[in-house]
Amino acid sequence: MTILQSQLNSWIEKYPLLKNVIDLEPVVWLNPNRQKMDSMSGLAVNLEDMKQAEELWQRFAPFLAAEFPDTSAAKGIVESPLCEISNMKKQLQNRWGGEIAGSLYLKCDNDLPIAGSIKARGGVYEVLHHAEQLAMDAGLLSNEQSYEQFSSDRFKQFFSQYAIGVGSTGNLGLSIGIISAKLGFQVSVYMSSDAKQWKKDLLRDKGATVVEFDGDFSEAILSGRRETLAKRDAYFVDDEKSKHLFLGYSVAAFRLKQQLENEGIPVDADHPLFVYLPCGVGGAPGGIAFGLRQVFGDAVHCFFVEPTHSPAVLIGLMTGEKEKLCVQDLGIDNVTEGDGLAVGRSSSFASGISEKTVSGIYTLEDRQLFELLALLGDSEEIFVEPSATAGLLGPLKILETDYAEANGISMSSANHIVWATGGALVPKEEMGGFYQRGKTYLGGAE
Ligand SMILES: *Cc1c(COP(=O)(O)O)cnc(C)c1O
């Protein structure tokens, strides 16, 4: 959209922080429109939808266990561990100052099976949902049979008549490409120019068609959508407005609840839970935040994290313009090395929900992603991709604000979960390069 100077001036007058965002300064924004559960209404999805999504995952578990060896130990349930990272907590305090009260955990979606990133939740779910629908409509599914039948030649033959397309900077493409090819679909992944070569190679290796596109993510989506929908029997996974991706992510909340119970970690008004989620279009963090609010109500406080150069969800929620406003409209370049975070425009579906569920958003510079990567590697021997480190500064960032005070929260008994969103599939040399870069930044002048 074209922004008139007068419009811009009036936004900046109303939301002074927007000026800092436009100047690419790291900011912490608190959401004035976060709703308490008892006044939360009008959301496009609900707890029942989440339960149905969990049931779909359960139905497909025998298929996933059969096709993806990395899920077989968990009997086809795609889930990641929750790890306490107390060494990293010390490192964060040493390096940046401040006292983090309570325990610090990492939700290791960097290790999720199938796709090695958080996209194994949303992306895989959406394709499974679509496949089930097609099979059902064709009368292929009988109630008695296990979904292991999706592994059969008969099913693969059936799905080979259908095409799936997706536009992606990388990780979403990987998840959609891998699961779709496995089911037998003809799958095309439309990738932006900044997508990593190894991701393209891996996808081709798995049997997906990679269409390279000159331009950023929005343009890859645009041409992907256009080319896919021009085909007969084709389905486009639309990161900019997908309800299914959102629901696939939301199920993480049920799983996390179970993990916290197993560890004896309480979540209630006296033991608030803070969760920090790296954010691109807002689907993954939005789905998880929505799910967590459904499960833990007002006791959970979710913060999104975006690069200073790609604050798509931040500008959308701050101004209330949501997906109508993109970062380029404000002269922000959308250039970041955080894969999955280089997004100029937010998901319309997710934004309409996140505006009520999320506690706030902070931004950070790319340099810090690498610093955090190296610190996490050194202190915990956990190696994640740069974007997946963004949440690690969260516990310190909220100390800069009056969030706890304003919400009557005692931080002394809080717990913090940093959502690590990707990394397992990153080639060793690439990861070594990220780490070295982080070490250089850490060693260099502040
Ligand atoms: C996709 C992705 C995100 C953010 O998810 P969105 O749904 O785009 O907000 C964060 N981190 C990584 C590594 C991702 O791949």
Side-chain angles (χ1 to χ4, degrees), residues 118-119 171 239 249 278-285 339-341 385 387 421-422:
I118 196 166
K119 302 298 190 304
N171 286 343
D239 207 15
Y249 292 121
C279 177
V281 296
D339 265 28
L341 310 186
E385 58 183 279
S387 42
T421 44

Side-chain angles (χ1 to χ4, degrees), residues 80-97:
S80 74
L82 180 69
C83 303
E84 184 163 7
I85 47 170
S86 40
N87 294 335
M88 183 64 184
K89 181 177 143 179
K90 287 193 203 102
Q91 289 298 323
L92 287 167
Q93 295 174 152
N94 286 348
R95 178 124 199 124
W96 284 288

Side-chain angles (χ1 to χ4, degrees), residues 370-442:
F370 292 94
E371 293 176 343
L372 291 164
L373 185 153
L375 277 183
L376 185 66
D378 283 343
S379 61
E380 305 284 348
E381 289 184 52
I382 298 174
F383 291 87
V384 301
E385 58 183 279
S387 42
T389 68
L392 286 162
L393 281 184
L396 295 174
K397 288 285 182 183
I398 52 167
L399 292 179
E400 295 173 12
T401 72
D402 67 351
Y403 185 79
E405 225 170 28
N407 289 281
I409 296 168
S410 150
M411 293 304 289
S412 60
S413 53
N415 288 297
H416 304 268
I417 296 181
V418 171
W419 217 283
T421 44
L425 298 187
V426 177
K428 263 213 165 58
E429 308 86 80
E430 191 110 355
M431 189 63 87
F434 293 156
Y435 173 81
Q436 280 312 329
R437 209 165 140 187
K439 290 299 271 188
T440 306
Y441 289 148
L442 286 169

